Amino acid sequence: MPADTSLPQSTKHLKCLCEQDKQAQSIRPVVVRARTRACLEPWVIGLITFISLIVLAVCIGLIVHYVRYNQRTTYNYYSTLSFTSDKLYGEFGKEASENFTEMSQKIESMVKNAFHKSSLRQAFVKSHIIKFSQKEHGVLAHMLLTFRFPSTEDPETVNKIIQRVLHEKLQDAVGPHKLNPEFVKIKKINKTETDNFLNNCCGTRRNRTIRQSFRIVGGTEVQEGEWPWQASLQWDGIHRCGATLIHDTWLVSAAHCFRTYKDPARWTASFGVKIEPPKMKQSLRRIIVHEKYKYPSHDYDISVAELSSPVSYTNAVHRICLPDASREFHPGDEMFVTGFGALQNDGSSQNQLWQVQVDLIDTKICNEHKVYNKAITPRMLCAGSLKGNRDACQGDSGGPLVSPDARDIWYLAGIVSWGDECGQPNKPGVYARVTAFRDWISSKTGV
Ligand code: 4AZ
Protein backbone atom coordinates (compact mmCIF):
# COMPACT_ATOMS: atom_id res chain seq x y z
CA MET A 1 0.00 0.00 0.00
CA PRO A 2 1.32 3.48 -0.81
CA ALA A 3 2.15 5.63 2.18
CA ASP A 4 -0.15 8.63 2.84
CA THR A 5 2.23 11.55 2.59
CA SER A 6 -0.38 14.25 3.47
CA LEU A 7 -0.10 13.62 7.24
CA PRO A 8 2.80 13.88 9.76
CA GLN A 9 4.39 10.58 10.79
CA SER A 10 2.72 10.40 14.29
CA THR A 11 -0.77 11.29 13.01
CA LYS A 12 -0.41 8.77 10.25
CA HIS A 13 0.12 6.14 12.88
CA LEU A 14 -2.99 7.35 14.71
CA LYS A 15 -5.06 7.32 11.57
CA CYS A 16 -3.88 3.86 10.93
CA LEU A 17 -4.99 2.74 14.38
CA CYS A 18 -8.35 4.43 13.97
CA GLU A 19 -8.96 2.66 10.79
CA GLN A 20 -7.98 -0.62 12.37
CA ASP A 21 -10.42 0.09 15.24
CA LYS A 22 -13.21 0.84 12.88
CA GLN A 23 -12.53 -2.34 11.07
CA ALA A 24 -12.32 -4.28 14.29
CA GLN A 25 -15.54 -2.78 15.57
CA SER A 26 -17.35 -3.68 12.44
CA ILE A 27 -15.87 -7.16 12.21
CA ARG A 28 -15.56 -8.44 15.82
CA PRO A 29 -19.26 -8.71 16.74
CA VAL A 30 -19.91 -10.63 13.60
CA VAL A 31 -17.08 -13.04 14.38
CA VAL A 32 -18.16 -13.53 18.02
CA ARG A 33 -21.78 -13.98 17.14
CA ALA A 34 -20.79 -16.42 14.45
CA ARG A 35 -18.58 -18.35 16.92
CA THR A 36 -21.31 -18.47 19.62
CA ARG A 37 -23.80 -19.74 17.17
CA ALA A 38 -21.36 -22.33 16.01
CA CYS A 39 -20.38 -23.60 19.56
CA LEU A 40 -23.55 -23.57 21.71
CA GLU A 41 -25.98 -26.18 20.62
CA PRO A 42 -29.48 -25.83 22.11
CA TRP A 43 -28.99 -28.90 24.32
CA VAL A 44 -25.83 -27.32 25.79
CA ILE A 45 -27.75 -24.17 26.61
CA GLY A 46 -30.46 -26.33 28.21
CA LEU A 47 -27.88 -28.24 30.26
CA ILE A 48 -26.20 -25.05 31.44
CA THR A 49 -29.58 -23.59 32.44
CA PHE A 50 -30.49 -26.81 34.24
CA ILE A 51 -27.20 -26.95 36.19
CA SER A 52 -27.50 -23.24 37.05
CA LEU A 53 -30.98 -23.79 38.41
CA ILE A 54 -29.79 -26.73 40.52
CA VAL A 55 -26.86 -24.69 41.92
CA LEU A 56 -29.26 -21.83 42.68
CA ALA A 57 -31.72 -24.19 44.40
CA VAL A 58 -28.92 -25.74 46.52
CA CYS A 59 -27.68 -22.26 47.53
CA ILE A 60 -31.19 -21.11 48.50
CA GLY A 61 -31.69 -24.38 50.45
CA LEU A 62 -28.41 -23.88 52.33
CA ILE A 63 -29.24 -20.26 53.17
CA VAL A 64 -32.74 -21.22 54.42
CA HIS A 65 -31.26 -24.08 56.50
CA TYR A 66 -28.56 -21.78 57.94
CA VAL A 67 -31.05 -19.05 58.83
CA ARG A 68 -33.49 -21.54 60.37
CA TYR A 69 -30.74 -23.29 62.31
CA ASN A 70 -29.34 -20.05 63.64
CA GLN A 71 -32.70 -18.62 64.54
CA ARG A 72 -32.80 -20.40 67.84
CA THR A 73 -35.32 -19.96 70.59
CA THR A 74 -34.52 -20.34 74.29
CA TYR A 75 -36.45 -23.12 76.02
CA ASN A 76 -36.50 -23.25 79.84
CA TYR A 77 -37.40 -26.28 81.94
CA TYR A 78 -37.95 -26.92 85.65
CA SER A 79 -36.64 -30.35 86.51
CA THR A 80 -36.33 -32.42 89.67
CA LEU A 81 -33.80 -35.22 90.11
CA SER A 82 -34.07 -37.73 92.90
CA PHE A 83 -30.86 -38.99 94.53
CA THR A 84 -29.42 -40.56 97.67
CA SER A 85 -26.31 -39.24 99.38
CA ASP A 86 -23.85 -40.34 102.08
CA LYS A 87 -24.00 -36.74 103.31
CA LEU A 88 -26.85 -35.67 105.53
CA TYR A 89 -29.39 -33.33 103.94
CA GLY A 90 -28.69 -30.83 106.76
CA GLU A 91 -25.11 -30.51 105.51
CA PHE A 92 -25.93 -29.23 102.04
CA GLY A 93 -29.60 -28.23 102.22
CA LYS A 94 -28.84 -24.67 103.35
CA GLU A 95 -28.74 -22.30 100.38
CA ALA A 96 -25.33 -20.67 99.74
CA SER A 97 -23.49 -22.91 102.25
CA GLU A 98 -20.18 -24.35 101.02
CA ASN A 99 -21.71 -27.85 100.94
CA PHE A 100 -24.70 -26.57 98.92
CA THR A 101 -22.28 -25.07 96.37
CA GLU A 102 -20.20 -28.27 96.22
CA MET A 103 -23.25 -30.54 95.76
CA SER A 104 -24.81 -28.18 93.18
CA GLN A 105 -21.57 -28.09 91.21
CA LYS A 106 -21.35 -31.91 91.16
CA ILE A 107 -24.89 -32.34 89.89
CA GLU A 108 -24.63 -29.50 87.36
CA SER A 109 -21.45 -30.99 85.88
CA MET A 110 -23.04 -34.49 85.76
CA VAL A 111 -26.02 -33.06 83.87
CA LYS A 112 -23.74 -31.07 81.56
CA ASN A 113 -21.73 -34.23 80.73
CA ALA A 114 -24.94 -36.16 80.08
CA PHE A 115 -26.12 -33.59 77.51
CA HIS A 116 -22.67 -33.18 75.97
CA LYS A 117 -22.61 -36.91 75.21
CA SER A 118 -26.06 -36.75 73.60
CA SER A 119 -27.72 -35.44 70.47
CA LEU A 120 -28.59 -32.31 72.48
CA ARG A 121 -24.89 -31.30 72.71
CA GLN A 122 -25.45 -28.22 70.51
CA ALA A 123 -28.72 -27.17 72.11
CA PHE A 124 -27.73 -27.44 75.81
CA VAL A 125 -26.91 -24.08 77.40
CA LYS A 126 -26.81 -24.67 81.16
CA SER A 127 -28.28 -26.23 84.27
CA HIS A 128 -28.74 -24.34 87.52
CA ILE A 129 -29.60 -25.97 90.86
CA ILE A 130 -31.99 -23.69 92.70
CA LYS A 131 -32.59 -25.75 95.84
CA PHE A 132 -32.64 -29.17 97.48
CA SER A 133 -35.58 -30.67 99.33
CA GLN A 134 -35.89 -33.77 101.45
CA LYS A 135 -38.16 -36.73 100.66
CA GLU A 136 -38.72 -40.17 102.28
CA HIS A 137 -35.96 -42.08 100.50
CA GLY A 138 -33.42 -39.43 99.62
CA VAL A 139 -33.20 -35.93 98.33
CA LEU A 140 -34.66 -33.95 95.41
CA ALA A 141 -32.47 -31.53 93.46
CA HIS A 142 -34.55 -28.74 91.91
CA MET A 143 -32.95 -27.51 88.73
CA LEU A 144 -33.51 -25.05 85.88
CA LEU A 145 -32.40 -26.24 82.43
CA THR A 146 -31.82 -23.92 79.47
CA PHE A 147 -31.62 -25.03 75.82
CA ARG A 148 -31.45 -23.17 72.52
CA PHE A 149 -33.24 -24.97 69.70
CA PRO A 150 -34.05 -23.95 66.12
CA SER A 151 -37.40 -22.20 66.39
CA THR A 152 -39.09 -24.91 64.31
CA GLU A 153 -38.65 -27.54 67.04
CA ASP A 154 -41.80 -28.93 68.65
CA PRO A 155 -41.66 -28.29 72.44
CA GLU A 156 -43.38 -31.60 73.23
CA THR A 157 -40.80 -33.63 71.27
CA VAL A 158 -38.00 -31.63 72.87
CA ASN A 159 -39.46 -32.38 76.31
CA LYS A 160 -39.37 -36.13 75.62
CA ILE A 161 -35.81 -36.04 74.25
CA ILE A 162 -34.52 -34.17 77.31
CA GLN A 163 -36.19 -36.60 79.66
CA ARG A 164 -34.81 -39.60 77.70
CA VAL A 165 -31.26 -38.18 77.77
CA LEU A 166 -31.43 -37.58 81.52
CA HIS A 167 -32.81 -41.11 82.06
CA GLU A 168 -30.25 -42.84 79.85
CA LYS A 169 -27.09 -40.85 80.44
CA LEU A 170 -27.42 -40.36 84.18
CA GLN A 171 -27.63 -44.16 84.48
CA ASP A 172 -23.90 -44.38 83.89
CA ALA A 173 -23.03 -41.02 85.44
CA VAL A 174 -20.09 -41.32 87.80
CA GLY A 175 -19.99 -39.76 91.25
CA PRO A 176 -20.46 -40.61 94.90
CA HIS A 177 -24.09 -39.54 94.93
CA LYS A 178 -26.45 -42.13 93.57
CA LEU A 179 -28.78 -40.35 91.21
CA ASN A 180 -31.95 -42.22 90.52
CA PRO A 181 -32.56 -41.57 86.83
CA GLU A 182 -35.98 -43.19 87.07
CA PHE A 183 -37.12 -40.20 89.07
CA VAL A 184 -36.51 -37.40 86.66
CA LYS A 185 -39.36 -34.97 86.26
CA ILE A 186 -39.36 -32.17 83.77
CA LYS A 187 -41.72 -29.33 82.91
CA LYS A 188 -41.43 -26.53 80.33
CA ILE A 189 -41.64 -23.06 81.92
CA ASN A 190 -41.77 -19.59 80.35
CA LYS A 191 -39.31 -16.69 80.67
CA THR A 192 -41.24 -14.99 83.52
CA GLU A 193 -41.38 -18.20 85.57
CA THR A 194 -37.63 -18.74 84.98
CA ASP A 195 -36.85 -15.15 86.06
CA ASN A 196 -38.99 -15.58 89.19
CA PHE A 197 -37.12 -18.75 90.20
CA LEU A 198 -33.74 -17.04 89.63
CA ASN A 199 -34.77 -13.84 91.44
CA ASN A 200 -35.73 -15.90 94.48
CA CYS A 201 -32.22 -17.38 94.59
CA CYS A 202 -29.56 -15.28 96.31
CA GLY A 203 -26.59 -13.84 94.43
CA THR A 204 -27.87 -14.17 90.85
CA ARG A 205 -27.37 -11.39 88.31
CA ARG A 206 -29.24 -10.87 85.06
CA ASN A 207 -27.37 -8.05 83.33
CA ARG A 208 -23.71 -8.93 83.50
CA THR A 209 -21.77 -6.63 81.22
CA ILE A 210 -18.70 -5.94 83.30
CA ARG A 211 -16.55 -3.37 81.56
CA GLN A 212 -13.15 -2.78 83.05
CA SER A 213 -12.96 0.33 85.15
CA PHE A 214 -10.20 1.42 87.45
CA ARG A 215 -11.97 3.57 89.96
CA ILE A 216 -15.30 5.12 90.66
CA VAL A 217 -13.74 8.41 89.52
CA GLY A 218 -14.09 8.24 85.73
CA GLY A 219 -15.24 4.61 86.08
CA THR A 220 -18.30 2.90 84.70
CA GLU A 221 -21.94 3.42 85.37
CA VAL A 222 -23.98 0.37 86.30
CA GLN A 223 -26.79 -1.04 84.12
CA GLU A 224 -30.15 -2.02 85.67
CA GLY A 225 -29.97 -5.52 87.18
CA GLU A 226 -26.16 -5.72 87.36
CA TRP A 227 -25.97 -5.36 91.17
CA PRO A 228 -29.62 -5.89 92.24
CA TRP A 229 -28.87 -6.01 95.98
CA GLN A 230 -27.56 -2.43 96.18
CA ALA A 231 -29.66 0.00 98.22
CA SER A 232 -29.30 3.71 98.95
CA LEU A 233 -30.07 4.77 102.53
CA GLN A 234 -31.61 8.24 102.74
CA TRP A 235 -32.12 10.44 105.78
CA ASP A 236 -35.01 12.88 105.20
CA GLY A 237 -34.75 12.02 101.48
CA ILE A 238 -30.99 12.72 101.17
CA HIS A 239 -28.56 9.90 100.26
CA ARG A 240 -26.24 9.20 103.19
CA CYS A 241 -25.00 5.62 102.84
CA GLY A 242 -25.15 2.41 100.83
CA ALA A 243 -26.66 -0.87 102.07
CA THR A 244 -27.13 -4.45 100.82
CA LEU A 245 -30.31 -6.52 100.56
CA ILE A 246 -29.79 -9.95 102.22
CA HIS A 247 -33.47 -10.95 102.62
CA ASP A 248 -36.80 -9.44 101.48
CA THR A 249 -37.02 -7.45 104.76
CA TRP A 250 -33.37 -7.07 105.85
CA LEU A 251 -30.49 -4.82 104.82
CA VAL A 252 -26.87 -4.91 106.01
CA SER A 253 -25.01 -1.60 106.31
CA ALA A 254 -22.26 0.10 108.34
CA ALA A 255 -22.74 1.03 112.02
CA HIS A 256 -21.28 4.53 111.49
CA CYS A 257 -24.15 5.41 109.07
CA PHE A 258 -26.49 5.55 112.09
CA ARG A 259 -24.11 7.33 114.49
CA THR A 260 -25.95 10.67 114.51
CA TYR A 261 -29.13 9.73 112.65
CA LYS A 262 -30.90 7.06 114.68
CA ASP A 263 -34.67 7.40 114.18
CA PRO A 264 -35.77 4.65 111.71
CA ALA A 265 -38.90 6.63 110.76
CA ARG A 266 -36.79 9.31 109.04
CA TRP A 267 -34.79 6.77 107.00
CA THR A 268 -35.82 5.30 103.63
CA ALA A 269 -34.12 2.69 101.46
CA SER A 270 -34.34 2.95 97.68
CA PHE A 271 -33.42 0.32 95.08
CA GLY A 272 -32.34 0.44 91.43
CA VAL A 273 -29.40 2.06 89.64
CA LYS A 274 -30.77 5.59 90.06
CA ILE A 275 -31.67 7.27 93.35
CA GLU A 276 -34.22 9.39 91.50
CA PRO A 277 -36.36 7.85 90.06
CA PRO A 278 -35.91 4.64 92.11
CA LYS A 279 -37.14 1.16 91.12
CA MET A 280 -38.57 0.70 94.61
CA LYS A 281 -38.66 2.64 97.89
CA GLN A 282 -39.29 1.40 101.43
CA SER A 283 -39.15 2.97 104.89
CA LEU A 284 -37.16 1.43 107.75
CA ARG A 285 -38.85 -0.21 110.72
CA ARG A 286 -35.84 -1.01 112.89
CA ILE A 287 -32.10 -0.34 113.00
CA ILE A 288 -29.73 -2.63 114.93
CA VAL A 289 -26.16 -1.37 115.36
CA HIS A 290 -23.45 -3.77 116.55
CA GLU A 291 -23.23 -3.54 120.35
CA LYS A 292 -19.42 -3.35 120.23
CA TYR A 293 -19.25 -0.45 117.76
CA LYS A 294 -17.83 2.55 119.64
CA TYR A 295 -17.04 5.73 117.72
CA PRO A 296 -14.31 6.89 116.92
CA SER A 297 -13.03 3.30 116.54
CA HIS A 298 -13.88 1.71 113.16
CA ASP A 299 -14.03 -1.78 114.68
CA TYR A 300 -17.38 -3.64 114.54
CA ASP A 301 -18.64 -1.22 111.88
CA ILE A 302 -21.78 -3.21 111.00
CA SER A 303 -25.55 -2.76 111.35
CA VAL A 304 -28.71 -4.43 110.08
CA ALA A 305 -31.94 -2.61 109.21
CA GLU A 306 -35.42 -4.06 108.89
CA LEU A 307 -37.71 -2.75 106.13
CA SER A 308 -41.28 -1.84 107.08
CA SER A 309 -42.63 -4.27 104.47
CA PRO A 310 -40.99 -6.91 102.26
CA VAL A 311 -39.69 -5.98 98.80
CA SER A 312 -40.94 -8.06 95.85
CA TYR A 313 -38.02 -9.56 94.03
CA THR A 314 -37.58 -8.54 90.39
CA ASN A 315 -34.71 -8.76 87.87
CA ALA A 316 -33.60 -5.33 89.16
CA VAL A 317 -34.05 -5.91 92.92
CA HIS A 318 -33.09 -9.08 94.77
CA ARG A 319 -30.85 -10.35 97.54
CA ILE A 320 -27.16 -11.32 97.72
CA CYS A 321 -25.83 -14.50 99.40
CA LEU A 322 -24.05 -14.38 102.74
CA PRO A 323 -20.87 -16.47 103.00
CA ASP A 324 -20.44 -19.15 105.69
CA ALA A 325 -18.39 -17.91 108.68
CA SER A 326 -15.71 -20.44 107.62
CA ARG A 327 -15.46 -19.20 104.03
CA GLU A 328 -12.02 -17.83 103.18
CA PHE A 329 -11.39 -15.10 100.64
CA HIS A 330 -7.84 -14.94 99.34
CA PRO A 331 -5.48 -12.02 98.69
CA GLY A 332 -5.68 -11.20 95.00
CA ASP A 333 -9.33 -12.34 94.69
CA GLU A 334 -11.16 -10.07 92.25
CA MET A 335 -14.04 -8.25 93.90
CA PHE A 336 -16.36 -5.39 93.06
CA VAL A 337 -17.47 -2.45 95.15
CA THR A 338 -20.50 -0.40 94.14
CA GLY A 339 -22.02 2.83 95.38
CA PHE A 340 -23.65 6.21 94.84
CA GLY A 341 -20.72 7.89 96.62
CA ALA A 342 -18.27 10.59 95.59
CA LEU A 343 -16.16 10.18 92.44
CA GLN A 344 -13.18 11.79 94.21
CA ASN A 345 -12.18 12.65 97.77
CA ASP A 346 -14.58 15.18 99.30
CA GLY A 347 -16.74 15.10 96.15
CA SER A 348 -20.53 14.87 96.15
CA SER A 349 -22.73 11.78 95.99
CA GLN A 350 -24.15 10.64 92.65
CA ASN A 351 -27.69 9.94 91.44
CA GLN A 352 -26.29 7.02 89.42
CA LEU A 353 -24.78 3.76 90.74
CA TRP A 354 -21.07 3.21 89.92
CA GLN A 355 -18.90 0.10 90.10
CA VAL A 356 -15.20 -0.53 90.47
CA GLN A 357 -13.13 -3.72 90.45
CA VAL A 358 -10.81 -4.06 93.47
CA ASP A 359 -8.38 -6.77 94.64
CA LEU A 360 -8.41 -8.27 98.12
CA ILE A 361 -5.22 -7.20 99.93
CA ASP A 362 -3.41 -9.38 102.48
CA THR A 363 -4.12 -8.09 106.03
CA LYS A 364 -0.40 -8.40 106.89
CA ILE A 365 0.47 -6.02 104.05
CA CYS A 366 -2.41 -3.72 104.97
CA ASN A 367 -1.07 -3.54 108.55
CA GLU A 368 2.43 -2.54 107.41
CA HIS A 369 3.77 0.77 108.69
CA LYS A 370 3.46 2.55 105.31
CA VAL A 371 -0.11 1.34 104.82
CA TYR A 372 -2.40 1.36 107.88
CA ASN A 373 0.21 0.67 110.58
CA LYS A 374 -1.60 -2.10 112.59
CA ALA A 375 -5.05 -0.43 112.44
CA ILE A 376 -6.64 -3.43 110.66
CA THR A 377 -8.42 -5.72 113.16
CA PRO A 378 -9.63 -9.31 112.50
CA ARG A 379 -13.09 -7.75 111.80
CA MET A 380 -11.75 -5.77 108.81
CA LEU A 381 -10.42 -6.49 105.35
CA CYS A 382 -8.59 -4.31 102.84
CA ALA A 383 -9.36 -4.13 99.14
CA GLY A 384 -8.37 -1.87 96.29
CA SER A 385 -4.94 -1.32 94.82
CA LEU A 386 -1.75 -0.33 96.63
CA LYS A 387 -0.91 1.75 93.55
CA GLY A 388 -4.02 3.81 94.28
CA ASN A 389 -6.99 4.83 92.11
CA ARG A 390 -9.40 1.89 92.52
CA ASP A 391 -11.43 2.66 95.63
CA ALA A 392 -14.72 3.44 97.32
CA CYS A 393 -15.24 6.97 98.64
CA GLN A 394 -17.48 9.11 100.90
CA GLY A 395 -21.15 8.16 100.46
CA ASP A 396 -20.26 4.54 99.52
CA SER A 397 -20.12 3.61 103.23
CA GLY A 398 -22.38 0.73 104.22
CA GLY A 399 -22.41 -0.56 100.62
CA PRO A 400 -21.34 -3.96 99.33
CA LEU A 401 -17.96 -5.46 98.45
CA VAL A 402 -18.86 -8.62 96.52
CA SER A 403 -17.17 -11.73 95.18
CA PRO A 404 -18.42 -14.59 92.94
CA ASP A 405 -18.05 -18.35 93.58
CA ALA A 406 -17.22 -20.99 90.96
CA ARG A 407 -20.92 -21.15 89.91
CA ASP A 408 -20.99 -17.37 89.36
CA ILE A 409 -23.18 -16.81 92.42
CA TRP A 410 -22.29 -13.58 94.25
CA TYR A 411 -21.49 -13.23 97.98
CA LEU A 412 -21.16 -10.26 100.32
CA ALA A 413 -17.50 -10.25 101.43
CA GLY A 414 -17.30 -6.76 102.95
CA ILE A 415 -19.13 -3.57 103.90
CA VAL A 416 -17.57 -0.19 102.94
CA SER A 417 -16.24 1.19 106.24
CA TRP A 418 -13.30 3.62 106.12
CA GLY A 419 -10.01 4.63 104.51
CA ASP A 420 -7.51 7.49 104.36
CA GLU A 421 -9.14 9.68 101.66
CA CYS A 422 -9.97 7.91 98.37
CA GLY A 423 -7.75 6.24 95.79
CA GLN A 424 -4.44 7.27 97.40
CA PRO A 425 -1.37 4.98 96.94
CA ASN A 426 -0.86 2.63 99.94
CA LYS A 427 -4.27 3.68 101.34
CA PRO A 428 -6.74 1.03 100.12
CA GLY A 429 -10.38 0.89 101.18
CA VAL A 430 -11.13 -0.83 104.49
CA TYR A 431 -14.26 -2.97 104.84
CA ALA A 432 -16.10 -4.74 107.66
CA ARG A 433 -15.29 -8.47 107.22
CA VAL A 434 -18.70 -10.15 106.77
CA THR A 435 -17.54 -13.69 107.67
CA ALA A 436 -16.50 -12.36 111.12
CA PHE A 437 -20.10 -11.17 111.65
CA ARG A 438 -21.95 -14.10 110.03
CA ASP A 439 -23.26 -15.45 113.34
CA TRP A 440 -24.10 -11.94 114.62
CA ILE A 441 -26.16 -11.28 111.44
CA SER A 442 -28.15 -14.49 111.84
CA SER A 443 -28.69 -13.86 115.56
CA LYS A 444 -30.32 -10.47 114.74
CA THR A 445 -32.18 -11.29 111.50
CA GLY A 446 -32.57 -15.08 111.31
CA VAL A 447 -30.92 -14.95 107.83
C1 4AZ B 1 -16.36 7.59 104.01
O1 4AZ B 1 -16.03 8.61 104.59
C2 4AZ B 1 -15.30 6.77 103.33
N1 4AZ B 1 -11.57 5.16 100.49
C3 4AZ B 1 -15.64 5.55 102.77
C4 4AZ B 1 -14.66 4.82 102.13
C5 4AZ B 1 -13.39 5.28 102.05
C6 4AZ B 1 -13.04 6.50 102.59
C7 4AZ B 1 -14.01 7.25 103.24
C8 4AZ B 1 -12.36 4.44 101.35
O2 4AZ B 1 -17.52 7.22 103.98
Side-chain angles (χ1 to χ4, degrees), residues 6 37 40 50 130 133 150-151 194 268 277 396 446:
S6 64
R37 262 192 222 122
L40 294 181
F50 180 68
I130 53 173
S133 66
S151 31
T194 309
T268 47
D396 292 324

Side-chain angles (χ1 to χ4, degrees), residues 256 391-397 416-423 428-430:
H256 79 258
D391 203 0
C393 207
Q394 295 97 11
D396 292 324
S397 279
V416 180
S417 178
W418 63 281
D420 189 349
E421 301 196 343
C422 312
V430 186

Side-chain angles (χ1 to χ4, degrees), residues 305-321:
E306 190 180 8
L307 299 170
S308 30
S309 52
V311 294
S312 318
Y313 293 143
T314 63
N315 287 3
V317 182
H318 55 266
R319 71 203 161 104
I320 198 166
C321 302

Side-chain angles (χ1 to χ4, degrees), residues 415-435:
I415 299 160
V416 180
S417 178
W418 63 281
D420 189 349
E421 301 196 343
C422 312
Q424 293 301 307
N426 285 325
K427 303 294 170 196
V430 186
Y431 298 78
R433 186 185 285 270
V434 171
T435 50

Side-chain angles (χ1 to χ4, degrees), residues 225-240:
E226 277 192 278
W227 308 108
W229 36 79
Q230 172 85 46
S232 148
L233 284 179
Q234 295 149 34
W235 170 259
D236 286 347
I238 295 166
H239 170 86
R240 294 279 171 192

